[in-house]
PDB file of all heavy atoms in Angstrom:
ATOM      1  N   SER A 853      53.747  17.412 -14.782  1.00 77.00           N
ATOM      2  CA  SER A 853      52.538  17.930 -14.171  1.00 77.00           C
ATOM      3  C   SER A 853      51.601  18.384 -15.284  1.00 77.00           C
ATOM      4  O   SER A 853      51.965  19.228 -16.104  1.00 77.00           O
ATOM      5  CB  SER A 853      52.883  19.122 -13.263  1.00 77.00           C
ATOM      6  OG  SER A 853      51.713  19.713 -12.782  1.00 77.00           O
ATOM      7  N   PHE A 854      50.426  17.788 -15.323  1.00 86.00           N
ATOM      8  CA  PHE A 854      49.438  18.151 -16.324  1.00 86.00           C
ATOM      9  C   PHE A 854      48.367  18.996 -15.671  1.00 86.00           C
ATOM     10  O   PHE A 854      47.823  18.646 -14.633  1.00 86.00           O
ATOM     11  CB  PHE A 854      48.815  16.894 -16.953  1.00 86.00           C
ATOM     12  CG  PHE A 854      49.826  16.022 -17.641  1.00 86.00           C
ATOM     13  CD1 PHE A 854      50.245  14.834 -17.074  1.00 86.00           C
ATOM     14  CD2 PHE A 854      50.372  16.409 -18.843  1.00 86.00           C
ATOM     15  CE1 PHE A 854      51.196  14.033 -17.702  1.00 86.00           C
ATOM     16  CE2 PHE A 854      51.327  15.621 -19.482  1.00 86.00           C
ATOM     17  CZ  PHE A 854      51.732  14.435 -18.908  1.00 86.00           C
ATOM     18  N   SER A 855      48.060  20.111 -16.298  1.00 88.00           N
ATOM     19  CA  SER A 855      47.050  21.013 -15.755  1.00 88.00           C
ATOM     20  C   SER A 855      45.648  20.594 -16.158  1.00 88.00           C
ATOM     21  O   SER A 855      44.700  20.790 -15.401  1.00 88.00           O
ATOM     22  CB  SER A 855      47.299  22.446 -16.242  1.00 88.00           C
ATOM     23  OG  SER A 855      48.595  22.847 -15.882  1.00 88.00           O
ATOM     24  N   ASP A 856      45.521  20.027 -17.354  1.00 93.00           N
ATOM     25  CA  ASP A 856      44.189  19.694 -17.851  1.00 93.00           C
ATOM     26  C   ASP A 856      44.303  18.778 -19.066  1.00 93.00           C
ATOM     27  O   ASP A 856      45.367  18.642 -19.659  1.00 93.00           O
ATOM     28  CB  ASP A 856      43.463  20.983 -18.261  1.00 93.00           C
ATOM     29  CG  ASP A 856      41.948  20.870 -18.191  1.00 93.00           C
ATOM     30  OD1 ASP A 856      41.434  19.744 -18.019  1.00 93.00           O
ATOM     31  OD2 ASP A 856      41.287  21.904 -18.314  1.00 93.00           O
ATOM     32  N   VAL A 857      43.182  18.169 -19.406  1.00 94.00           N
ATOM     33  CA  VAL A 857      43.044  17.417 -20.642  1.00 94.00           C
ATOM     34  C   VAL A 857      42.162  18.259 -21.546  1.00 94.00           C
ATOM     35  O   VAL A 857      41.135  18.782 -21.111  1.00 94.00           O
ATOM     36  CB  VAL A 857      42.390  16.038 -20.399  1.00 94.00           C
ATOM     37  CG1 VAL A 857      42.138  15.322 -21.711  1.00 94.00           C
ATOM     38  CG2 VAL A 857      43.267  15.202 -19.484  1.00 94.00           C
ATOM     39  N   VAL A 858      42.582  18.417 -22.797  1.00 93.00           N
ATOM     40  CA  VAL A 858      41.843  19.255 -23.733  1.00 93.00           C
ATOM     41  C   VAL A 858      41.102  18.345 -24.705  1.00 93.00           C
ATOM     42  O   VAL A 858      41.694  17.454 -25.312  1.00 93.00           O
ATOM     43  CB  VAL A 858      42.804  20.185 -24.512  1.00 93.00           C
ATOM     44  CG1 VAL A 858      42.023  21.117 -25.408  1.00 93.00           C
ATOM     45  CG2 VAL A 858      43.672  20.970 -23.547  1.00 93.00           C
ATOM     46  N   VAL A 859      39.812  18.567 -24.840  1.00 91.00           N
ATOM     47  CA  VAL A 859      38.989  17.730 -25.718  1.00 91.00           C
ATOM     48  C   VAL A 859      38.556  18.542 -26.936  1.00 91.00           C
ATOM     49  O   VAL A 859      38.116  19.688 -26.809  1.00 91.00           O
ATOM     50  CB  VAL A 859      37.741  17.215 -24.963  1.00 91.00           C
ATOM     51  CG1 VAL A 859      36.873  16.374 -25.878  1.00 91.00           C
ATOM     52  CG2 VAL A 859      38.157  16.421 -23.732  1.00 91.00           C
ATOM     53  N   GLY A 860      38.724  17.960 -28.118  1.00 89.00           N
ATOM     54  CA  GLY A 860      38.210  18.556 -29.339  1.00 89.00           C
ATOM     55  C   GLY A 860      38.975  19.741 -29.876  1.00 89.00           C
ATOM     56  O   GLY A 860      38.459  20.471 -30.710  1.00 89.00           O
ATOM     57  N   VAL A 861      40.215  19.953 -29.445  1.00 91.00           N
ATOM     58  CA  VAL A 861      40.990  21.070 -29.969  1.00 91.00           C
ATOM     59  C   VAL A 861      41.657  20.629 -31.276  1.00 91.00           C
ATOM     60  O   VAL A 861      42.201  19.528 -31.369  1.00 91.00           O
ATOM     61  CB  VAL A 861      42.031  21.579 -28.938  1.00 91.00           C
ATOM     62  CG1 VAL A 861      43.082  20.535 -28.640  1.00 91.00           C
ATOM     63  CG2 VAL A 861      42.688  22.862 -29.410  1.00 91.00           C
ATOM     64  N   ALA A 862      41.563  21.473 -32.281  1.00 93.00           N
ATOM     65  CA  ALA A 862      42.184  21.177 -33.579  1.00 93.00           C
ATOM     66  C   ALA A 862      43.704  21.293 -33.459  1.00 93.00           C
ATOM     67  O   ALA A 862      44.199  22.183 -32.754  1.00 93.00           O
ATOM     68  CB  ALA A 862      41.656  22.142 -34.632  1.00 93.00           C
ATOM     69  N   PRO A 863      44.460  20.418 -34.135  1.00 93.00           N
ATOM     70  CA  PRO A 863      45.924  20.473 -34.058  1.00 93.00           C
ATOM     71  C   PRO A 863      46.496  21.847 -34.399  1.00 93.00           C
ATOM     72  O   PRO A 863      47.441  22.305 -33.760  1.00 93.00           O
ATOM     73  CB  PRO A 863      46.377  19.423 -35.077  1.00 93.00           C
ATOM     74  CG  PRO A 863      45.246  18.459 -35.141  1.00 93.00           C
ATOM     75  CD  PRO A 863      44.000  19.298 -34.959  1.00 93.00           C
ATOM     76  N   GLU A 864      45.908  22.530 -35.399  1.00 95.00           N
ATOM     77  CA  GLU A 864      46.446  23.843 -35.774  1.00 95.00           C
ATOM     78  C   GLU A 864      46.155  24.902 -34.712  1.00 95.00           C
ATOM     79  O   GLU A 864      46.920  25.856 -34.561  1.00 95.00           O
ATOM     80  CB  GLU A 864      45.953  24.297 -37.156  1.00 95.00           C
ATOM     81  CG  GLU A 864      44.464  24.325 -37.344  1.00 95.00           C
ATOM     82  CD  GLU A 864      43.848  22.980 -37.719  1.00 95.00           C
ATOM     83  OE1 GLU A 864      44.552  21.970 -37.866  1.00 95.00           O
ATOM     84  OE2 GLU A 864      42.624  22.943 -37.836  1.00 95.00           O
ATOM     85  N   VAL A 865      45.101  24.753 -33.937  1.00 94.00           N
ATOM     86  CA  VAL A 865      44.791  25.684 -32.848  1.00 94.00           C
ATOM     87  C   VAL A 865      45.762  25.452 -31.687  1.00 94.00           C
ATOM     88  O   VAL A 865      46.224  26.390 -31.049  1.00 94.00           O
ATOM     89  CB  VAL A 865      43.322  25.526 -32.378  1.00 94.00           C
ATOM     90  CG1 VAL A 865      43.052  26.344 -31.130  1.00 94.00           C
ATOM     91  CG2 VAL A 865      42.370  25.922 -33.498  1.00 94.00           C
ATOM     92  N   ALA A 866      46.085  24.193 -31.421  1.00 95.00           N
ATOM     93  CA  ALA A 866      46.985  23.831 -30.326  1.00 95.00           C
ATOM     94  C   ALA A 866      48.460  23.946 -30.722  1.00 95.00           C
ATOM     95  O   ALA A 866      49.343  23.759 -29.892  1.00 95.00           O
ATOM     96  CB  ALA A 866      46.691  22.411 -29.856  1.00 95.00           C
ATOM     97  N   GLY A 867      48.738  24.250 -31.984  1.00 95.00           N
ATOM     98  CA  GLY A 867      50.118  24.337 -32.445  1.00 95.00           C
ATOM     99  C   GLY A 867      50.761  22.978 -32.649  1.00 95.00           C
ATOM    100  O   GLY A 867      51.975  22.873 -32.827  1.00 95.00           O
ATOM    101  N   LEU A 868      49.961  21.921 -32.630  1.00 96.00           N
ATOM    102  CA  LEU A 868      50.499  20.568 -32.774  1.00 96.00           C
ATOM    103  C   LEU A 868      50.738  20.181 -34.233  1.00 96.00           C
ATOM    104  O   LEU A 868      51.384  19.171 -34.507  1.00 96.00           O
ATOM    105  CB  LEU A 868      49.587  19.559 -32.083  1.00 96.00           C
ATOM    106  CG  LEU A 868      49.544  19.711 -30.559  1.00 96.00           C
ATOM    107  CD1 LEU A 868      48.399  18.907 -29.967  1.00 96.00           C
ATOM    108  CD2 LEU A 868      50.876  19.325 -29.938  1.00 96.00           C
ATOM    109  N   ASP A 869      50.245  20.994 -35.159  1.00 95.00           N
ATOM    110  CA  ASP A 869      50.520  20.745 -36.573  1.00 95.00           C
ATOM    111  C   ASP A 869      51.962  21.125 -36.927  1.00 95.00           C
ATOM    112  O   ASP A 869      52.533  20.630 -37.886  1.00 95.00           O
ATOM    113  CB  ASP A 869      49.524  21.491 -37.465  1.00 95.00           C
ATOM    114  CG  ASP A 869      49.545  22.998 -37.238  1.00 95.00           C
ATOM    115  OD1 ASP A 869      49.853  23.447 -36.104  1.00 95.00           O
ATOM    116  OD2 ASP A 869      49.239  23.739 -38.184  1.00 95.00           O
ATOM    117  N   LYS A 870      52.573  22.002 -36.134  1.00 95.00           N
ATOM    118  CA  LYS A 870      53.963  22.427 -36.312  1.00 95.00           C
ATOM    119  C   LYS A 870      54.695  22.257 -34.980  1.00 95.00           C
ATOM    120  O   LYS A 870      55.404  23.141 -34.523  1.00 95.00           O
ATOM    121  CB  LYS A 870      54.023  23.875 -36.775  1.00 95.00           C
ATOM    122  CG  LYS A 870      53.380  24.092 -38.129  1.00 95.00           C
ATOM    123  CD  LYS A 870      53.362  25.541 -38.516  1.00 95.00           C
ATOM    124  CE  LYS A 870      52.623  25.688 -39.843  1.00 95.00           C
ATOM    125  NZ  LYS A 870      52.100  27.007 -40.051  1.00 95.00           N
ATOM    126  N   ALA A 871      54.510  21.102 -34.374  1.00 96.00           N
ATOM    127  CA  ALA A 871      55.014  20.844 -33.026  1.00 96.00           C
ATOM    128  C   ALA A 871      56.522  20.677 -32.966  1.00 96.00           C
ATOM    129  O   ALA A 871      57.164  20.317 -33.951  1.00 96.00           O
ATOM    130  CB  ALA A 871      54.347  19.587 -32.470  1.00 96.00           C
TER     131      ALA A 871
END
Side-chain angles (χ1 to χ4, degrees):
S853 174
F854 300 105
S855 303
D856 206 350
V857 175
V858 184
V859 179
V861 65
E864 55 276 359
V865 172
L868 293 167
D869 59 331
K870 297 176 184 157

